[in-house]
Amino acid sequence: MTIARLARQAKRPHGFCVKMTAVAIMGFCFIFVWSMFSSSSTSATTQRESFDDIAEPIAGNTRVSRPHTQSREREKEKHEPSRVNEKQNGESDLDLKKDEKKINGSVSLVVNEHESRRKDKKEEASLERKEKDDGTKKLPNEGEKDNQGQEESGDEESEKEEEEGEVVDGKKEANDSENTEGNGDIQGDGDLIQNADQESVEEVEHESAGSKSTGKKRKIKGPVFDPNAHYSWRLCSTRSKHNYMPCIDIESGTGRLQSYRHTERSCPKTPPMCLVPLPHEGYGTPVHWPESKLKVLYSNVAHPKLAAFIKKNSWLVQSGEYLTFPQNQSEFKGGVQHYLDSIEEMVPDIEWGKNIRVVLDIGCTDSSFAASLLDKEVLTLSLGLKDDLVDLAQVALERGFPTIVSPFGSRRLHFPSGVFDAIHCSGCSIHWHSNGGKLLLEMNRILRPGGYFILSTKHDNIEEEEAMTTLTASVCWNVLAHKTDEVGEVGVKIYQKPESNDIYGLRRRKNPPLCKENENPDAAWYVPMKTCLHPVPSAIEQHGTEWPEEWPKRLETYPDWMNNKEKLVADTNHWKAIVEKSYLTGMGIDWSNIRNIMDMKAINGGFAAALAQHKVWVMNVVLVHAPDTLPIIYERGLIGVYHDWCESFGTYPRSYDLLHADHLFSRLKNRSKLLLQFCLVHTYHLILENIVLITHPNVKCNFRCKQPASIVVEMDRMLRPGGWAVIRDKVEILDPLEGILRSLHWEIRMTYAQDKEGILCAQKTMWRP
């Protein structure tokens, strides 16, 4: 109550002294809370791309652990300090360390982290031999093949951890991210995170900015998954039934069908632990690519309003058990090929598949636009809007086209700035000039400097046309062409975003204004849209200063703004070796049935790049609390989004044929520490910025990732029956995870382990409880 009273008084003109008093009081509170979670000597911790270099106790029921081993380890912990031997250049076989990392829209800290661990070499060696003899499981189809040239770095680090007991100071640096208004990385409509992760108990040393670290111990205890847990599954009972999307659909209260989806992304406070049922009409094996471009099983996409939509449109036809898409029919009269050719004629610089590689299609209706561009080597990501009650985005996914589902109202889309070569909107019925033009300013944010915005409408509204002309002029978009296609009966207008900031200074009215320097244009997770213009990048270290190379040279070209090019090249070669020598031939996956793939923890897009020449597409997911590498992925001509796996992904059930998770779950072991640190630091920054903080919506630091098993449930929701999951992680994580997958009646096709690292390959079945 006292703090709230001081905050109210601080807003008054004479409240300067009161304001400073409030800052001082909250500063002391911050220091007190910080000290509660830190040791006597403090040092800040950093975010990692991999936690494989931290020695962790292994769960009791894993293959490589024995009961007497765990008790002996506990005795050692009682009688001598536990030290971690962390090397500066340590790296797992699947993760490459970044020296300088930009955290997406969150507070970054410069780290000087000292950790050590004292080991009894003889006892450790004997324990390792026992572990290998007792439980390590090796399959003949992996063997040495997956080790040579693919997992050397991880194996070497593991050996060094066992052999060395010296203290090695490790240091990782992270660039300070720019604070954004609301800084929505941590909070959504519901509580993004619940209670502190009870499964990870950590002693972390913290250090305030400018202080020196002193090298004390850090303990990380407890498995990600409870090895003693037993799971009993049930079907979800939701209004959207077999099409349930937890963060999109409203499942509380009553209402008409038109209102069963949120106007903004809003996730349940407790992650769903139920399984989405299969369609009532039955679910059949999806039609394989490329036949799926022309037809899909109707029962797999059946929807109450889809039948009525089919009767009104000729470009999709129900024929027996299939939903077909005639090649000579399209929502574009005259055919989609004529439509694309006319665009290229209007602006010759638009060279589909060369100059233009990555396109965002707003409003997922007729997928023929994406299908035709795919033939031209253009990767089109369709944005299915939340008010698409016909579920055409699900049809697009079933056909094998990249699609995500997202509200598009007041928050930023989950993309970095300046990454799309072109944005297309055909009859998407969006009022771009409403709400101060926020929606168009969001398009300006994600459009590459010099990129193209293609707008086509069938019926011109004079008032909307005038409002759109005023708005595009205010953001200095150049109208390259405006033509009414007599054949297609649509008016097409092509705009181009400025390539430099010079033109912004020539505006008579500075409305919308330029964004402040501390506004991070790449912050996108739960960040509200801005009514300001982000300046065009001009510094050589910023992405978007130059147009990328033509495809496919673009895939392996690394511009000057990319740091550590040698590591990017090594990462690319690393994943090429793994994909060619292991994934394509050594796991029993029938790749002729694989089309839609998700990399659940992408870094530089190396996995997707290794599959670029195959007939698949990969959705690269960059974690919102990890270093921001998504601009690198787009620069290479690939696609992806920001996401936090404590929440459900924006897609329909049964969307993907293969899920790839590289050390995703091991990251959860340190998640509680990172979020606690973020909340404390971010809260203190809000104090210094004179923001009312006690009820600030972005400072709710509860931990929703308390149930990591909910991520497995989400994987079950996204994956098609018959789909595959390839999971690379620590053995102590894979063992209980295998148990969870077996409880879901997934078939474990392959497991392989060496030292503390392992691979699990599983296939989902048709089973439902």
Side-chain angles (χ1 to χ4, degrees), residues 1-8 22 25-26 29 693-694:
M1 294 297 293
T2 304
I3 296 173
R5 192 176 302 110
L6 289 173
R8 287 193 296 270
I25 292 174
M26 293 310 298
C29 293
L693 53 113
I694 299 302

Side-chain angles (χ1 to χ4, degrees), residues 180-442:
T180 60
E181 178 185 336
N183 210 351
D185 295 48
I186 294 294
Q187 179 60 30
D189 284 338
D191 294 338
L192 176 62
I193 316 152
Q194 288 182 347
N195 296 332
D197 191 353
Q198 299 174 355
E199 298 169 338
S200 294
V201 181
E202 304 173 339
E203 289 184 13
V204 185
E205 305 140 324
H206 300 282
E207 115 180 285
S208 58
S211 62
K212 298 181 180 179
S213 63
T214 55
K216 292 287 182 177
K217 64 184 179 180
R218 179 177 68 182
K219 295 179 182 178
I220 300 176
K221 296 182 179 180
V224 173
F225 301 104
D226 183 359
N228 299 318
H230 297 281
Y231 298 92
S232 178
W233 304 107
R234 61 178 179 83
L235 290 178
C236 298
S237 178
T238 59
R239 299 172 66 186
S240 43
K241 301 177 182 177
H242 58 278
N243 286 337
Y244 179 43
M245 293 181 285
C247 294
I248 304 294
D249 300 337
I250 298 175
E251 296 302 329
S252 59
T254 58
R256 296 176 298 175
L257 184 64
Q258 285 77 5
S259 62
Y260 80 99
R261 285 182 177 163
H262 293 288
T263 56
E264 288 294 348
R265 181 179 175 86
S266 181
C267 300
K269 292 184 177 180
T270 302
M273 288 296 289
C274 57
L275 305 183
V276 176
L278 297 176
H280 297 296
E281 294 78 7
Y283 184 83
T285 302
V287 179
H288 299 160
W289 183 268
E291 288 79 15
S292 60
K293 290 196 295 183
L294 301 178
K295 66 178 182 180
V296 298
L297 283 174
Y298 181 76
S299 60
N300 289 3
V301 296
H303 188 275
K305 292 199 171 185
L306 182 58
F309 184 84
I310 293 173
K311 294 178 181 178
K312 298 178 181 179
N313 295 270
S314 60
W315 56 269
L316 69 172
V317 178
Q318 184 176 357
S319 177
E321 61 177 347
Y322 295 103
L323 184 63
T324 63
F325 309 92
Q327 288 183 299
N328 59 342
Q329 296 293 328
S330 170
E331 70 169 348
F332 306 99
K333 290 188 177 180
V336 65
Q337 190 59 51
H338 169 77
Y339 178 72
L340 294 175
D341 291 341
S342 64
I343 291 175
E344 205 163 2
E345 289 175 3
M346 293 167 65
V347 182
D349 286 342
I350 297 180
E351 297 180 85
W352 300 118
K354 293 183 180 180
N355 195 35
I356 302 297
R357 162 64 181 173
V358 183
V359 175
L360 179 67
D361 187 22
I362 302 293
C364 186
T365 51
D366 183 1
S367 298
S368 63
F369 178 78
S372 297
L373 283 179
L374 188 62
D375 296 335
K376 298 176 180 289
E377 295 292 322
V378 175
L379 192 57
T380 304
L381 176 58
S382 298
L383 180 66
L385 304 179
K386 62 91 187 175
D387 55 358
D388 171 24
L389 299 180
V390 184
D391 290 347
L392 294 177
Q394 186 181 34
V395 176
L397 285 164
E398 188 74 14
R399 295 179 68 182
F401 301 124
T403 308
I404 60 170
V405 180
S406 173
F408 186 40
S410 62
R411 293 193 188 128
R412 287 179 172 178
L413 299 174
H414 298 159
F415 307 118
S417 63
V419 292
F420 287 102
D421 305 333
I423 299 176
H424 175 258
C425 174
S426 174
C428 48
S429 303
I430 293 177
H431 302 288
W432 296 104
H433 59 279
S434 60
N435 296 322
K438 281 186 177 181
L439 301 182
L440 193 74
L441 288 170
E442 175 64 2

Side-chain angles (χ1 to χ4, degrees), residues 522-731:
D522 293 331
W525 188 250
Y526 285 104
V527 175
M529 294 180 185
K530 313 294 182 181
T531 53
C532 62
L533 277 171
H534 285 285
V536 175
S538 56
I540 193 172
E541 65 272 10
Q542 293 179 292
H543 69 87
T545 54
E546 296 180 354
W547 195 271
E549 295 284 348
E550 291 186 356
W551 181 264
K553 186 179 178 181
R554 174 176 180 172
L555 184 64
E556 297 186 5
T557 300
Y558 307 102
D560 293 335
W561 60 267
M562 293 186 185
N563 296 323
N564 301 319
K565 295 182 183 180
E566 296 78 9
K567 289 187 177 181
L568 291 174
V569 173
D571 180 63
T572 300
N573 295 334
H574 172 76
W575 281 109
K576 279 184 179 179
I578 290 178
V579 169
E580 292 175 3
K581 297 179 181 179
S582 180
Y583 286 10
L584 295 179
T585 58
M587 293 189 175
I589 299 174
D590 184 0
W591 286 86
S592 65
N593 299 338
I594 305 297
R595 171 62 184 171
N596 303 355
I597 300 177
M598 176 184 287
D599 191 356
M600 299 180 68
K601 181 178 168 289
I603 300 178
N604 296 314
F607 171 69
L611 292 168
Q613 302 305 317
H614 297 268
K615 296 180 180 180
V616 299
W617 64 270
V618 179
M619 176 62 72
N620 294 280
V621 178
V622 173
L623 306 185
V624 296
H625 302 289
D628 183 9
T629 56
L630 195 51
I632 296 176
I633 292 172
Y634 274 95
E635 192 74 14
R636 303 182 70 178
L638 307 171
I639 59 174
V641 292
Y642 297 120
H643 188 62
D644 183 351
W645 284 113
C646 294
E647 298 187 4
S648 177
F649 191 79
T651 192
Y652 283 88
R654 306 170 300 278
S655 296
Y656 287 90
D657 302 306
L658 188 145
L659 301 177
H660 181 253
D662 177 25
H663 288 79
L664 170 67
F665 295 98
S666 59
R667 186 177 182 83
L668 296 179
K669 289 187 71 70
N670 288 356
R671 178 67 184 280
S672 61
K673 173 194 68 180
L674 296 175
L675 289 177
L676 173 61
Q677 175 182 314
F678 175 90
C679 291
L680 292 176
V681 174
H682 183 51
T683 301
Y684 191 56
H685 277 286
L686 291 175
I687 297 170
L688 298 179
E689 294 172 6
N690 297 322
I691 299 175
V692 178
L693 53 113
I694 299 302
T695 59
H696 196 278
N698 294 315
V699 192
K700 293 182 180 179
C701 297
N702 300 322
F703 277 52
R704 177 177 288 170
C705 274
K706 180 168 96 172
Q707 292 181 305
S710 64
I711 301 177
V712 185
V713 174
E714 176 64 5
M715 293 173 68
D716 183 88
R717 188 188 74 88
M718 295 189 298
L719 196 60
R720 293 171 174 171
W724 296 76
V726 178
I727 306 169
R728 307 173 72 93
D729 222 306
K730 298 182 180 181
V731 173

Side-chain angles (χ1 to χ4, degrees), residues 58-99:
I58 297 178
N61 72 334
T62 59
R63 292 191 298 266
V64 299
S65 293
R66 308 296 295 175
H68 65 272
T69 302
Q70 282 199 330
S71 62
R72 193 176 304 174
E73 287 296 321
R74 285 194 292 268
E75 288 298 322
K76 289 172 64 179
E77 289 179 2
K78 290 180 181 178
H79 296 292
E80 69 177 45
S82 174
R83 299 199 173 195
V84 178
N85 179 21
E86 178 177 347
K87 302 167 184 58
Q88 183 171 357
N89 297 322
E91 193 59 43
S92 75
D93 60 313
L94 304 174
D95 284 310
L96 296 175
K97 185 190 74 175
K98 305 290 178 299
D99 293 326

